[in-house]
mmCIF file of all heavy atoms in Angstrom:
data_model
loop_
_atom_site.group_PDB
_atom_site.id
_atom_site.type_symbol
_atom_site.label_atom_id
_atom_site.label_comp_id
_atom_site.label_asym_id
_atom_site.label_seq_id
_atom_site.Cartn_x
_atom_site.Cartn_y
_atom_site.Cartn_z
ATOM 1 N N PRO A 13 -124.033 206.329 -162.037
ATOM 2 C CA PRO A 13 -124.916 206.356 -160.854
ATOM 3 C C PRO A 13 -125.658 207.675 -160.687
ATOM 4 O O PRO A 13 -126.783 207.694 -160.178
ATOM 5 C CB PRO A 13 -123.954 206.101 -159.683
ATOM 6 C CG PRO A 13 -122.604 206.433 -160.198
ATOM 7 C CD PRO A 13 -122.615 206.135 -161.661
ATOM 8 N N VAL A 14 -125.052 208.789 -161.157
ATOM 9 C CA VAL A 14 -125.737 210.083 -161.059
ATOM 10 C C VAL A 14 -126.962 210.094 -161.962
ATOM 11 O O VAL A 14 -128.055 210.520 -161.571
ATOM 12 C CB VAL A 14 -124.774 211.228 -161.434
ATOM 13 C CG1 VAL A 14 -125.513 212.560 -161.460
ATOM 14 C CG2 VAL A 14 -123.613 211.297 -160.452
ATOM 15 N N SER A 15 -126.804 209.621 -163.200
ATOM 16 C CA SER A 15 -127.926 209.596 -164.139
ATOM 17 C C SER A 15 -129.036 208.662 -163.667
ATOM 18 O O SER A 15 -130.218 208.923 -163.891
ATOM 19 C CB SER A 15 -127.437 209.160 -165.517
ATOM 20 O OG SER A 15 -126.490 210.073 -166.022
ATOM 21 N N ASP A 16 -128.666 207.580 -163.005
ATOM 22 C CA ASP A 16 -129.659 206.592 -162.569
ATOM 23 C C ASP A 16 -130.547 207.125 -161.452
ATOM 24 O O ASP A 16 -131.595 206.525 -161.152
ATOM 25 C CB ASP A 16 -128.946 205.322 -162.109
ATOM 26 C CG ASP A 16 -129.903 204.159 -161.910
ATOM 27 O OD1 ASP A 16 -130.682 203.880 -162.846
ATOM 28 O OD2 ASP A 16 -129.892 203.547 -160.827
ATOM 29 N N THR A 17 -130.161 208.242 -160.850
ATOM 30 C CA THR A 17 -131.009 208.804 -159.786
ATOM 31 C C THR A 17 -132.360 209.267 -160.335
ATOM 32 O O THR A 17 -133.340 209.338 -159.585
ATOM 33 C CB THR A 17 -130.315 209.992 -159.094
ATOM 34 O OG1 THR A 17 -130.043 211.025 -160.063
ATOM 35 C CG2 THR A 17 -129.010 209.549 -158.443
ATOM 36 N N LEU A 18 -132.445 209.585 -161.631
ATOM 37 C CA LEU A 18 -133.739 209.945 -162.216
ATOM 38 C C LEU A 18 -134.733 208.800 -162.079
ATOM 39 O O LEU A 18 -135.906 209.004 -161.769
ATOM 40 C CB LEU A 18 -133.562 210.304 -163.696
ATOM 41 C CG LEU A 18 -132.878 211.628 -164.032
ATOM 42 C CD1 LEU A 18 -132.713 211.766 -165.534
ATOM 43 C CD2 LEU A 18 -133.667 212.807 -163.475
ATOM 44 N N ARG A 19 -134.252 207.588 -162.326
ATOM 45 C CA ARG A 19 -135.119 206.417 -162.197
ATOM 46 C C ARG A 19 -135.346 206.056 -160.738
ATOM 47 O O ARG A 19 -136.484 205.798 -160.309
ATOM 48 C CB ARG A 19 -134.504 205.232 -162.935
ATOM 49 C CG ARG A 19 -135.314 203.945 -162.859
ATOM 50 C CD ARG A 19 -134.463 202.741 -163.195
ATOM 51 N NE ARG A 19 -133.293 202.628 -162.336
ATOM 52 C CZ ARG A 19 -133.327 202.127 -161.088
ATOM 53 N NH1 ARG A 19 -134.477 201.705 -160.572
ATOM 54 N NH2 ARG A 19 -132.228 202.059 -160.378
ATOM 55 N N ALA A 20 -134.263 206.066 -159.958
ATOM 56 C CA ALA A 20 -134.349 205.614 -158.568
ATOM 57 C C ALA A 20 -135.260 206.500 -157.720
ATOM 58 O O ALA A 20 -135.939 206.014 -156.805
ATOM 59 C CB ALA A 20 -132.949 205.551 -157.953
ATOM 60 N N THR A 21 -135.284 207.793 -158.000
ATOM 61 C CA THR A 21 -136.106 208.713 -157.202
ATOM 62 C C THR A 21 -137.520 208.873 -157.766
ATOM 63 O O THR A 21 -138.347 209.558 -157.148
ATOM 64 C CB THR A 21 -135.439 210.099 -157.127
ATOM 65 O OG1 THR A 21 -135.295 210.623 -158.462
ATOM 66 C CG2 THR A 21 -134.082 210.006 -156.452
ATOM 67 N N GLY A 22 -137.796 208.274 -158.925
ATOM 68 C CA GLY A 22 -139.137 208.353 -159.488
ATOM 69 C C GLY A 22 -139.374 209.513 -160.425
ATOM 70 O O GLY A 22 -140.525 209.755 -160.833
ATOM 71 N N VAL A 23 -138.323 210.233 -160.814
ATOM 72 C CA VAL A 23 -138.494 211.356 -161.740
ATOM 73 C C VAL A 23 -138.985 210.861 -163.101
ATOM 74 O O VAL A 23 -139.819 211.508 -163.743
ATOM 75 C CB VAL A 23 -137.167 212.137 -161.896
ATOM 76 C CG1 VAL A 23 -137.300 213.212 -162.977
ATOM 77 C CG2 VAL A 23 -136.786 212.780 -160.574
ATOM 78 N N THR A 24 -138.497 209.705 -163.537
ATOM 79 C CA THR A 24 -138.926 209.191 -164.836
ATOM 80 C C THR A 24 -140.424 208.856 -164.823
ATOM 81 O O THR A 24 -141.114 209.009 -165.839
ATOM 82 C CB THR A 24 -138.133 207.922 -165.210
ATOM 83 O OG1 THR A 24 -138.220 206.978 -164.139
ATOM 84 C CG2 THR A 24 -136.685 208.266 -165.482
ATOM 85 N N GLU A 25 -140.950 208.427 -163.686
ATOM 86 C CA GLU A 25 -142.380 208.136 -163.585
ATOM 87 C C GLU A 25 -143.203 209.410 -163.713
ATOM 88 O O GLU A 25 -144.259 209.424 -164.360
ATOM 89 C CB GLU A 25 -142.665 207.446 -162.252
ATOM 90 C CG GLU A 25 -144.105 206.977 -162.106
ATOM 91 C CD GLU A 25 -144.326 206.225 -160.803
ATOM 92 O OE1 GLU A 25 -143.315 205.866 -160.159
ATOM 93 O OE2 GLU A 25 -145.486 206.003 -160.443
ATOM 94 N N ILE A 26 -142.694 210.485 -163.124
ATOM 95 C CA ILE A 26 -143.373 211.775 -163.251
ATOM 96 C C ILE A 26 -143.396 212.215 -164.713
ATOM 97 O O ILE A 26 -144.417 212.700 -165.222
ATOM 98 C CB ILE A 26 -142.673 212.840 -162.375
ATOM 99 C CG1 ILE A 26 -142.846 212.494 -160.898
ATOM 100 C CG2 ILE A 26 -143.219 214.228 -162.667
ATOM 101 C CD1 ILE A 26 -142.102 213.429 -159.961
ATOM 102 N N ILE A 27 -142.260 212.037 -165.388
ATOM 103 C CA ILE A 27 -142.185 212.400 -166.806
ATOM 104 C C ILE A 27 -143.192 211.584 -167.615
ATOM 105 O O ILE A 27 -143.877 212.107 -168.505
ATOM 106 C CB ILE A 27 -140.758 212.176 -167.335
ATOM 107 C CG1 ILE A 27 -139.773 213.136 -166.645
ATOM 108 C CG2 ILE A 27 -140.695 212.367 -168.852
ATOM 109 C CD1 ILE A 27 -138.316 212.867 -166.984
ATOM 110 N N GLY A 28 -143.285 210.291 -167.317
ATOM 111 C CA GLY A 28 -144.214 209.429 -168.036
ATOM 112 C C GLY A 28 -145.662 209.861 -167.849
ATOM 113 O O GLY A 28 -146.452 209.895 -168.809
ATOM 114 N N ASN A 29 -146.038 210.193 -166.617
ATOM 115 C CA ASN A 29 -147.409 210.645 -166.362
ATOM 116 C C ASN A 29 -147.702 211.946 -167.095
ATOM 117 O O ASN A 29 -148.797 212.132 -167.646
ATOM 118 C CB ASN A 29 -147.630 210.829 -164.859
ATOM 119 C CG ASN A 29 -147.582 209.509 -164.109
ATOM 120 O OD1 ASN A 29 -147.859 208.449 -164.676
ATOM 121 N ND2 ASN A 29 -147.227 209.553 -162.832
ATOM 122 N N TRP A 30 -146.729 212.834 -167.109
ATOM 123 C CA TRP A 30 -146.929 214.113 -167.805
ATOM 124 C C TRP A 30 -147.100 213.894 -169.303
ATOM 125 O O TRP A 30 -147.947 214.527 -169.945
ATOM 126 C CB TRP A 30 -145.722 215.020 -167.538
ATOM 127 C CG TRP A 30 -145.789 216.307 -168.316
ATOM 128 C CD1 TRP A 30 -146.470 217.437 -167.991
ATOM 129 C CD2 TRP A 30 -145.147 216.576 -169.575
ATOM 130 N NE1 TRP A 30 -146.302 218.395 -168.962
ATOM 131 C CE2 TRP A 30 -145.493 217.892 -169.942
ATOM 132 C CE3 TRP A 30 -144.318 215.829 -170.408
ATOM 133 C CZ2 TRP A 30 -145.037 218.480 -171.122
ATOM 134 C CZ3 TRP A 30 -143.866 216.407 -171.569
ATOM 135 C CH2 TRP A 30 -144.211 217.714 -171.933
ATOM 136 N N LEU A 31 -146.323 212.976 -169.855
ATOM 137 C CA LEU A 31 -146.437 212.685 -171.284
ATOM 138 C C LEU A 31 -147.821 212.133 -171.619
ATOM 139 O O LEU A 31 -148.423 212.506 -172.638
ATOM 140 C CB LEU A 31 -145.367 211.681 -171.711
ATOM 141 C CG LEU A 31 -143.959 212.212 -171.906
ATOM 142 C CD1 LEU A 31 -143.002 211.063 -172.197
ATOM 143 C CD2 LEU A 31 -143.925 213.215 -173.055
ATOM 144 N N SER A 32 -148.305 211.234 -170.793
ATOM 145 C CA SER A 32 -149.612 210.645 -171.056
ATOM 146 C C SER A 32 -150.705 211.708 -171.048
ATOM 147 O O SER A 32 -151.598 211.718 -171.909
ATOM 148 C CB SER A 32 -149.927 209.566 -170.020
ATOM 149 O OG SER A 32 -149.006 208.501 -170.121
ATOM 150 N N LEU A 33 -150.648 212.629 -170.087
ATOM 151 C CA LEU A 33 -151.666 213.679 -170.006
ATOM 152 C C LEU A 33 -151.567 214.638 -171.189
ATOM 153 O O LEU A 33 -152.573 215.054 -171.764
ATOM 154 C CB LEU A 33 -151.498 214.450 -168.687
ATOM 155 C CG LEU A 33 -151.831 213.682 -167.408
ATOM 156 C CD1 LEU A 33 -151.462 214.500 -166.180
ATOM 157 C CD2 LEU A 33 -153.309 213.297 -167.378
ATOM 158 N N THR A 34 -150.326 214.983 -171.567
ATOM 159 C CA THR A 34 -150.132 215.933 -172.659
ATOM 160 C C THR A 34 -150.515 215.334 -174.000
ATOM 161 O O THR A 34 -151.183 215.970 -174.825
ATOM 162 C CB THR A 34 -148.664 216.403 -172.708
ATOM 163 O OG1 THR A 34 -148.305 216.935 -171.431
ATOM 164 C CG2 THR A 34 -148.474 217.462 -173.783
ATOM 165 N N ALA A 35 -150.083 214.091 -174.240
ATOM 166 C CA ALA A 35 -150.327 213.469 -175.536
ATOM 167 C C ALA A 35 -151.802 213.200 -175.779
ATOM 168 O O ALA A 35 -152.247 213.133 -176.928
ATOM 169 C CB ALA A 35 -149.540 212.161 -175.630
ATOM 170 N N ALA A 36 -152.580 213.057 -174.704
ATOM 171 C CA ALA A 36 -153.999 212.755 -174.868
ATOM 172 C C ALA A 36 -154.744 213.871 -175.575
ATOM 173 O O ALA A 36 -155.783 213.645 -176.204
ATOM 174 C CB ALA A 36 -154.628 212.481 -173.505
ATOM 175 N N SER A 37 -154.234 215.089 -175.496
ATOM 176 C CA SER A 37 -154.907 216.234 -176.117
ATOM 177 C C SER A 37 -154.382 216.545 -177.508
ATOM 178 O O SER A 37 -154.792 217.529 -178.117
ATOM 179 C CB SER A 37 -154.744 217.474 -175.222
ATOM 180 O OG SER A 37 -153.363 217.787 -175.067
ATOM 181 N N LEU A 38 -153.459 215.720 -178.028
ATOM 182 C CA LEU A 38 -152.840 215.989 -179.322
ATOM 183 C C LEU A 38 -153.395 215.064 -180.397
ATOM 184 O O LEU A 38 -153.870 213.962 -180.099
ATOM 185 C CB LEU A 38 -151.315 215.785 -179.221
ATOM 186 C CG LEU A 38 -150.554 216.716 -178.283
ATOM 187 C CD1 LEU A 38 -149.086 216.283 -178.205
ATOM 188 C CD2 LEU A 38 -150.643 218.161 -178.747
ATOM 189 N N PRO A 39 -153.313 215.480 -181.665
ATOM 190 C CA PRO A 39 -153.648 214.568 -182.761
ATOM 191 C C PRO A 39 -152.608 213.456 -182.831
ATOM 192 O O PRO A 39 -151.525 213.572 -182.236
ATOM 193 C CB PRO A 39 -153.604 215.464 -184.000
ATOM 194 C CG PRO A 39 -152.697 216.585 -183.615
ATOM 195 C CD PRO A 39 -152.926 216.806 -182.148
ATOM 196 N N PRO A 40 -152.888 212.363 -183.554
ATOM 197 C CA PRO A 40 -151.939 211.244 -183.588
ATOM 198 C C PRO A 40 -150.529 211.645 -183.993
ATOM 199 O O PRO A 40 -149.562 211.186 -183.374
ATOM 200 C CB PRO A 40 -152.577 210.301 -184.612
ATOM 201 C CG PRO A 40 -154.042 210.570 -184.500
ATOM 202 C CD PRO A 40 -154.150 212.056 -184.234
ATOM 203 N N TRP A 41 -150.390 212.492 -185.016
ATOM 204 C CA TRP A 41 -149.035 212.857 -185.441
ATOM 205 C C TRP A 41 -148.329 213.655 -184.351
ATOM 206 O O TRP A 41 -147.111 213.523 -184.157
ATOM 207 C CB TRP A 41 -149.076 213.650 -186.752
ATOM 208 C CG TRP A 41 -149.716 215.020 -186.649
ATOM 209 C CD1 TRP A 41 -151.012 215.344 -186.915
ATOM 210 C CD2 TRP A 41 -149.077 216.241 -186.231
ATOM 211 N NE1 TRP A 41 -151.245 216.681 -186.698
ATOM 212 C CE2 TRP A 41 -150.055 217.259 -186.283
ATOM 213 C CE3 TRP A 41 -147.793 216.568 -185.826
ATOM 214 C CZ2 TRP A 41 -149.798 218.588 -185.942
ATOM 215 C CZ3 TRP A 41 -147.513 217.889 -185.478
ATOM 216 C CH2 TRP A 41 -148.500 218.880 -185.548
ATOM 217 N N GLY A 42 -149.074 214.495 -183.623
ATOM 218 C CA GLY A 42 -148.477 215.252 -182.528
ATOM 219 C C GLY A 42 -148.052 214.360 -181.388
ATOM 220 O O GLY A 42 -147.011 214.576 -180.751
#
């Protein structure tokens, strides 16, 4: 239940948005 708080509080969504923004500036292999 402690680990699931990342999903329940929306932290994983923040991580996903950050990944999308970061990966957009990288070459495909990056």
Side-chain angles (χ1 to χ4, degrees):
V14 175
S15 298
D16 192 52
T17 60
L18 288 176
R19 179 199 57 80
T21 60
V23 174
T24 53
E25 186 177 347
I26 293 176
I27 295 173
N29 293 334
W30 175 83
L31 282 175
S32 296
L33 291 173
T34 305
S37 61
L38 296 175
W41 67 265

